[in-house]
Amino acid sequence: MKILIVEDDRTIAGLIAEALKQQQYIVEVAYDGQTALSYLETGAIDLLVLDLGLPKVDGITLCKTVRQKNYHLPILILTARDTNQDKVIGLDAGADDYVVKPFDLAELLARVRALLRRRQAAYLSCLRWEKLTLDPDTRKVSYNGEALHLTPKEYAILQVLLRNGSRILSRTQILDQAWSFDETPGEETVKVHLRSLRHKLKAAGAPPNLIETVHGFGYRLNPNVKSAI
Ligand code: CA
Protein backbone atom coordinates (compact mmCIF):
# COMPACT_ATOMS: atom_id res chain seq x y z
CA MET A 1 0.00 0.00 0.00
CA LYS A 2 1.30 3.39 -0.96
CA ILE A 3 0.79 6.40 1.33
CA LEU A 4 1.41 10.00 0.34
CA ILE A 5 2.37 12.42 3.12
CA VAL A 6 1.79 16.06 2.25
CA GLU A 7 3.54 18.15 4.87
CA ASP A 8 5.82 21.19 4.54
CA ASP A 9 7.41 20.65 7.96
CA ARG A 10 10.23 18.33 6.94
CA THR A 11 10.85 17.08 10.48
CA ILE A 12 7.26 15.97 10.95
CA ALA A 13 7.11 14.55 7.41
CA GLY A 14 10.30 12.55 8.04
CA LEU A 15 9.04 11.23 11.36
CA ILE A 16 5.75 10.00 9.92
CA ALA A 17 7.42 8.61 6.79
CA GLU A 18 9.86 6.59 8.89
CA ALA A 19 7.11 5.20 11.13
CA LEU A 20 4.99 4.18 8.12
CA LYS A 21 7.96 2.58 6.33
CA GLN A 22 8.58 0.48 9.42
CA GLN A 23 5.03 -0.82 9.00
CA GLN A 24 5.94 -1.89 5.44
CA TYR A 25 3.99 0.82 3.65
CA ILE A 26 5.48 2.40 0.55
CA VAL A 27 5.76 6.11 1.31
CA GLU A 28 5.92 9.23 -0.84
CA VAL A 29 6.43 12.70 0.63
CA ALA A 30 5.36 15.98 -0.98
CA TYR A 31 6.34 19.28 0.66
CA ASP A 32 3.76 21.34 -1.22
CA GLY A 33 0.27 20.92 -2.63
CA GLN A 34 1.30 21.16 -6.26
CA THR A 35 3.73 18.25 -6.01
CA ALA A 36 1.09 16.27 -4.12
CA LEU A 37 -1.31 16.64 -7.06
CA SER A 38 1.24 15.30 -9.50
CA TYR A 39 1.75 12.23 -7.27
CA LEU A 40 -2.01 11.71 -7.08
CA GLU A 41 -2.36 11.84 -10.86
CA THR A 42 -0.37 8.59 -11.10
CA GLY A 43 -3.32 6.80 -9.48
CA ALA A 44 -0.94 4.72 -7.37
CA ILE A 45 -1.70 6.35 -3.99
CA ASP A 46 -3.85 4.43 -1.49
CA LEU A 47 -4.08 7.00 1.31
CA LEU A 48 -3.29 10.66 1.85
CA VAL A 49 -1.94 12.14 5.10
CA LEU A 50 -2.56 15.82 4.57
CA ASP A 51 -1.39 18.98 6.36
CA LEU A 52 -3.56 22.07 5.84
CA GLY A 53 -1.11 25.00 5.80
CA LEU A 54 0.89 24.23 2.66
CA PRO A 55 2.79 26.18 -0.01
CA LYS A 56 1.32 26.53 -3.54
CA VAL A 57 -1.95 24.63 -3.02
CA ASP A 58 -3.36 24.61 0.53
CA GLY A 59 -4.69 21.43 2.15
CA ILE A 60 -8.41 22.27 1.94
CA THR A 61 -8.16 23.09 -1.76
CA LEU A 62 -6.19 19.91 -2.33
CA CYS A 63 -8.80 17.89 -0.48
CA LYS A 64 -11.62 19.37 -2.57
CA THR A 65 -9.65 18.78 -5.78
CA VAL A 66 -9.15 15.11 -4.91
CA ARG A 67 -12.89 14.68 -4.44
CA GLN A 68 -13.80 16.69 -7.56
CA LYS A 69 -11.48 14.51 -9.62
CA ASN A 70 -13.06 11.43 -8.07
CA TYR A 71 -9.85 9.95 -6.79
CA HIS A 72 -11.08 7.19 -4.51
CA LEU A 73 -8.70 7.25 -1.60
CA PRO A 74 -9.04 8.02 2.09
CA ILE A 75 -7.73 11.38 3.31
CA LEU A 76 -6.49 11.93 6.85
CA ILE A 77 -5.99 15.59 7.72
CA LEU A 78 -3.13 16.21 10.15
CA THR A 79 -3.04 19.79 11.32
CA ALA A 80 -2.48 22.21 14.20
CA ARG A 81 -5.88 23.83 13.45
CA ASP A 82 -7.90 22.48 16.34
CA THR A 83 -11.25 24.30 16.51
CA ASN A 84 -14.49 22.48 15.84
CA GLN A 85 -15.10 24.79 12.90
CA ASP A 86 -11.75 23.80 11.37
CA LYS A 87 -12.71 20.16 11.69
CA VAL A 88 -16.06 20.74 10.03
CA ILE A 89 -14.38 22.56 7.14
CA GLY A 90 -11.87 19.72 6.71
CA LEU A 91 -14.43 16.94 6.83
CA ASP A 92 -16.81 18.84 4.56
CA ALA A 93 -13.97 19.30 2.06
CA GLY A 94 -13.86 15.50 1.75
CA ALA A 95 -11.51 14.28 4.48
CA ASP A 96 -12.25 10.92 6.15
CA ASP A 97 -10.43 11.60 9.40
CA TYR A 98 -8.99 14.58 11.25
CA VAL A 99 -6.03 14.44 13.65
CA VAL A 100 -4.77 17.47 15.56
CA LYS A 101 -1.07 18.23 16.15
CA PRO A 102 0.70 17.51 18.43
CA PHE A 103 -0.33 13.95 17.72
CA ASP A 104 0.40 10.55 19.16
CA LEU A 105 2.28 8.47 16.58
CA ALA A 106 0.74 5.16 17.67
CA GLU A 107 -2.74 6.64 17.37
CA LEU A 108 -1.97 8.08 13.94
CA LEU A 109 -0.80 4.64 12.74
CA ALA A 110 -3.95 3.02 14.12
CA ARG A 111 -6.11 5.55 12.27
CA VAL A 112 -4.18 4.90 9.06
CA ARG A 113 -4.80 1.16 9.49
CA ALA A 114 -8.49 1.75 10.14
CA LEU A 115 -8.90 3.88 7.01
CA LEU A 116 -7.04 1.37 4.86
CA ARG A 117 -9.08 -1.48 6.33
CA ARG A 118 -12.27 0.23 5.24
CA ARG A 119 -10.78 0.72 1.79
CA GLN A 120 -9.67 -2.91 1.70
CA ALA A 121 -13.14 -4.13 2.59
CA ALA A 122 -14.25 -3.20 -0.93
CA TYR A 123 -11.92 -5.74 -2.49
CA LEU A 124 -11.00 -7.96 0.41
CA SER A 125 -11.79 -11.12 -1.52
CA CYS A 126 -9.04 -10.16 -3.98
CA LEU A 127 -6.45 -10.73 -1.29
CA ARG A 128 -7.05 -14.43 -1.60
CA TRP A 129 -6.16 -16.38 -4.67
CA GLU A 130 -6.51 -20.09 -4.82
CA LYS A 131 -4.88 -21.20 -1.52
CA LEU A 132 -2.83 -18.04 -1.21
CA THR A 133 -3.83 -15.46 1.40
CA LEU A 134 -2.42 -12.10 2.39
CA ASP A 135 -3.68 -10.33 5.50
CA PRO A 136 -2.94 -6.60 5.17
CA ASP A 137 -3.52 -6.03 8.90
CA THR A 138 -1.01 -8.54 10.20
CA ARG A 139 1.09 -8.54 6.98
CA LYS A 140 1.05 -12.34 7.11
CA VAL A 141 1.15 -14.30 3.88
CA SER A 142 0.43 -17.98 3.67
CA TYR A 143 -0.13 -20.69 1.10
CA ASN A 144 -2.43 -23.54 2.09
CA GLY A 145 -1.90 -22.54 5.72
CA GLU A 146 1.88 -22.51 5.46
CA ALA A 147 3.49 -19.15 6.30
CA LEU A 148 5.64 -17.46 3.68
CA HIS A 149 8.49 -15.25 4.84
CA LEU A 150 8.66 -12.48 2.31
CA THR A 151 10.90 -9.44 2.06
CA PRO A 152 9.09 -6.07 2.12
CA LYS A 153 9.39 -5.79 -1.70
CA GLU A 154 8.14 -9.33 -2.34
CA TYR A 155 5.22 -8.57 -0.05
CA ALA A 156 4.47 -5.30 -1.85
CA ILE A 157 4.55 -6.96 -5.27
CA LEU A 158 2.32 -9.81 -4.15
CA GLN A 159 -0.16 -7.36 -2.68
CA VAL A 160 -0.27 -5.43 -5.96
CA LEU A 161 -0.89 -8.67 -7.87
CA LEU A 162 -3.57 -9.82 -5.46
CA ARG A 163 -5.38 -6.51 -5.63
CA ASN A 164 -5.51 -6.74 -9.39
CA GLY A 165 -6.50 -10.39 -9.64
CA SER A 166 -6.31 -11.69 -13.19
CA ARG A 167 -5.68 -8.20 -14.63
CA ILE A 168 -2.32 -8.13 -16.41
CA LEU A 169 0.17 -5.64 -14.98
CA SER A 170 3.21 -4.38 -16.83
CA ARG A 171 6.51 -4.11 -14.99
CA THR A 172 6.09 -0.32 -14.99
CA GLN A 173 2.68 -0.61 -13.34
CA ILE A 174 4.16 -2.90 -10.68
CA LEU A 175 7.04 -0.44 -10.17
CA ASP A 176 4.62 2.50 -9.75
CA GLN A 177 2.67 0.73 -7.04
CA ALA A 178 5.32 -1.21 -5.15
CA TRP A 179 8.16 1.33 -5.16
CA SER A 180 8.32 4.99 -4.24
CA PHE A 181 9.22 7.37 -7.07
CA ASP A 182 12.58 8.34 -5.59
CA GLU A 183 13.74 4.73 -5.53
CA THR A 184 13.55 4.46 -9.36
CA PRO A 185 14.81 0.92 -9.79
CA GLY A 186 14.96 -0.58 -13.28
CA GLU A 187 12.40 -3.03 -14.62
CA GLU A 188 15.02 -5.74 -14.16
CA THR A 189 14.57 -5.29 -10.39
CA VAL A 190 10.91 -6.32 -10.67
CA LYS A 191 12.02 -9.45 -12.46
CA VAL A 192 14.51 -10.32 -9.73
CA HIS A 193 11.97 -9.89 -6.93
CA LEU A 194 9.35 -11.85 -8.86
CA ARG A 195 11.79 -14.70 -9.33
CA SER A 196 12.43 -15.01 -5.60
CA LEU A 197 8.73 -14.57 -4.84
CA ARG A 198 7.88 -17.44 -7.21
CA HIS A 199 10.61 -19.52 -5.64
CA LYS A 200 9.12 -19.03 -2.16
CA LEU A 201 5.60 -19.77 -3.41
CA LYS A 202 6.77 -22.95 -5.05
CA ALA A 203 8.61 -24.01 -1.88
CA ALA A 204 5.32 -23.60 0.00
CA GLY A 205 3.60 -25.94 -2.44
CA ALA A 206 2.02 -23.48 -4.88
CA PRO A 207 1.78 -24.35 -8.59
CA PRO A 208 4.84 -22.94 -10.42
CA ASN A 209 2.61 -20.88 -12.73
CA LEU A 210 0.57 -19.23 -9.97
CA ILE A 211 2.11 -15.92 -11.05
CA GLU A 212 1.76 -16.05 -14.79
CA THR A 213 4.03 -14.28 -17.27
CA VAL A 214 1.99 -12.96 -20.16
CA HIS A 215 4.70 -12.47 -22.77
CA GLY A 216 4.92 -8.98 -24.15
CA PHE A 217 2.43 -7.64 -21.59
CA GLY A 218 3.39 -8.42 -18.03
CA TYR A 219 2.26 -10.48 -15.10
CA ARG A 220 -0.89 -11.56 -13.33
CA LEU A 221 -2.25 -14.21 -11.00
CA ASN A 222 -3.10 -17.18 -13.17
CA PRO A 223 -6.90 -17.45 -13.57
CA ASN A 224 -6.61 -21.04 -14.84
CA VAL A 225 -4.92 -22.11 -11.62
CA LYS A 226 -7.78 -20.62 -9.66
CA SER A 227 -10.54 -22.31 -11.64
CA ALA A 228 -8.76 -25.68 -11.52
CA ILE A 229 -9.12 -25.83 -7.74
CA1 CA B 1 2.16 23.30 7.36
Side-chain angles (χ1 to χ4, degrees), residues 171 194 198 209 211-220 222:
R171 278 187 214 146
L194 270 167
R198 278 172 163 156
N209 60 346
I211 298 172
E212 184 188 14
T213 303
V214 184
H215 291 288
F217 293 98
Y219 306 90
R220 65 173 173 178
N222 193 331

Side-chain angles (χ1 to χ4, degrees), residues 4 11 14 25 109 138 148 178-179 190 223 229:
L4 172 62
T11 309
Y25 297 112
L109 293 176
T138 61
L148 267 78
W179 271 263
V190 177
I229 299 296

Side-chain angles (χ1 to χ4, degrees), residues 142-171:
S142 63
Y143 184 83
N144 202 15
E146 183 168 341
L148 267 78
H149 302 285
L150 304 183
T151 65
K153 277 301 169 225
E154 289 161 3
Y155 175 88
I157 292 172
L158 188 61
Q159 192 173 32
V160 170
L161 288 169
L162 278 163
R163 286 171 53 190
N164 286 279
S166 57
R167 214 178 112 210
I168 301 167
L169 298 171
S170 67
R171 278 187 214 146

Side-chain angles (χ1 to χ4, degrees), residues 7-9 51-55 101:
E7 169 64 81
D8 59 332
D9 182 324
D51 180 28
L52 291 185
L54 289 169
K101 293 176 191 164

Side-chain angles (χ1 to χ4, degrees), residues 191-212:
K191 244 175 124 172
V192 172
H193 287 282
L194 270 167
R195 195 178 303 141
S196 79
L197 179 57
R198 278 172 163 156
H199 185 75
K200 288 181 183 179
L201 283 166
K202 199 174 153 215
N209 60 346
L210 183 63
I211 298 172
E212 184 188 14

